[in-house]
Amino acid sequence: MRDHYLELLDQIVADTLKGNIRSKEQIYHTLEAEISAGTGELFERCLQTRIDELKGLLETDDELKQAKAIRKQRALKTIQSEWERWQKQNQGNTVLTNLVQALLVAPDEQRLQHLLMVLDPNQKEILTLDQLRQLKQSLEQESHSPNNLEPSESTALIGIARGLQQGLDSWQQIETQVVNWIYSQSQSSLGFGNITEQQGPWSHWAKSVDSQFLQQVFMDLAQHQKITKAGIGQPLQISDWLELALVLQKLQTNLVRWFDQQPYDSKAGKRLSIATYLTFTIVWGQLSQRSQQLGQPILTEACFQMALQGLVQFAQQSYFPLYGGLFTALSGESLQTLLDYLDSPLKQTPNTGIKARILILLGYTQQALGHDDLALSFHEQSLEIARVAQDLRCEVASYNHLSRTYLSQHEYSAAITSSQRALILARQGGDRLGEANALANFGYSEVLQIQAEDPLDTQRYENVLPYLEQGLQLSEQLGDRPSHALCTNSLGIVLVIMGKYQAAITILEQGTRIAEIIGDQWLVSLNYCYLAEAYRELGNIENAIYTGSLAMYLMFQIESSTWRQPAGLLSILYGQIGPEAFQEYLSHLRKQLLMIIGVDGYDYLPKLLAEYRQSLA
């Protein structure tokens, strides 16, 4: 066989030099016809042999021999490129053949899982649109061939083929409209939040497709920012679900690629890519919940798998937020419900470094909700997995998050120890981002321990303050907004504790702006909470009520139990100035409050405060 392949290469080179072979396609088809299955490695060695043999001739002083060698080298390079193309195409065909066979023999409950494994964007070789068309044709042929298929099996294959065709047709219609909606609004907003129906992407995409099913789902998202009965009112056909799956996957991939490539503002592009990943993960979570409500366990599991595939892809990006949470996408949604969506498929993921990063994301969010025990569990798991995976940045981040979680549980020694370990590892590994967070966490932990042990020891406070200031300066230098937001939050809180209220207000206001930019509603609300404390101590009742009201409602909106902290401060002010004066302040602040929490939020403030006061009775 070796001699055969050497002769084949010599013949193709000779025919190319003589002009008998005039196109790359001729070479491709020759290789396709002559190379036997399972002998690709042998052919590659023969090709490399011929390439190596030319090296001496290319360096000769004989111009005639050198010119002939250069022509042979060009021919061999063409053969090499066509061989690589043939390999890629053949590999794709093998994948399709194996998939069709798997779909033929798989039980009903596993058939869709086989398909989704091949559609996973995290695979090395992703199926092209042409290969998806080939798959559709193969399934149609198998469903009609006399191969002893049961009628239900034939129907299932036809349903998958129809879904692939619907998805390909709809994607062809929407492909050129993926980012057009961005130009009708501010590029600093992704458009998935609480905005008017006409401005967002979903309504724009709905108008771009003929599929009534997709139109219905997209308009549901445009109007409600979630999947409701209006979008999916009855059990789905596999074909409709597949159409939606293909289109959503392509939309996410193309949006992220577009944002990643934007030269106008790389930071904004990364932020919007993050928002895209989170938004589509959440949409899949909502689709999973709706499928469960409709009694379709196979589609429920398939939705979980799609959500997980998106998270895995997200966790591999350089801008994955090791120091941020799920606060950017689909504002107004219940974070606890979203965590339920994401937690279930994650349990099925093997212990890889990717899983560690996803656990960090969920742990941060659990802490924001006030679920410290769950947050601790997530971060401990992520730390263990990061160590095994030798992902130093992830290990440092896990220690940093553990430190902040321990603080929430008033375990100050454990918090200090975790931040110290994070600081040592970050400096050893050159992780300056981790170092900035570790400095902030260490200083924050030390201050809270001092407050618990000897709150009047001002010298100990002053000794710790440089750690917080170093962390803030480093995060500013690095330009990492999530870390910058965390560091300003830590320093601002510590300044409030130390009684440096005016300095605290300056830092907390800066931190609030940064947190708003990155969409971290937890940090925004926490900053407002301590701003309210600082304003109250300075006797500025109006600003205390304003920031306290925002903190209380925003924390309540994301279902964080910490909403009671600013509610307690407002309750004290309510008692001091009386109901009428308190309501006058609220009325005076109405316009400012509406800009942030809207009419519904403003109207709910008195009810929420009353609920807190009643709980104390």
Side-chain angles (χ1 to χ4, degrees), residues 67-84:
K68 188 174 182 180
I70 290 173
R71 293 176 63 200
K72 284 186 176 182
Q73 184 189 47
R74 289 173 182 166
L76 287 170
K77 284 185 177 180
T78 302
I79 295 172
Q80 189 175 41
S81 67
E82 291 307 297
W83 162 245
E84 290 172 354

Side-chain angles (χ1 to χ4, degrees), residues 582-593:
F582 190 90
Q583 185 56 48
E584 286 181 10
Y585 275 117
L586 278 183
S587 298
H588 180 70
L589 293 166
R590 186 177 187 275
K591 185 176 180 180
Q592 292 173 259
L593 291 168

Side-chain angles (χ1 to χ4, degrees), residues 554-573:
L554 291 175
M555 287 176 171
F556 179 80
Q557 191 180 42
I558 63 173
E559 299 186 3
S560 174
S561 59
T562 49
W563 71 270
R564 298 180 64 82
Q565 181 178 342
L569 179 145
L570 291 174
S571 182
I572 291 172
L573 292 175

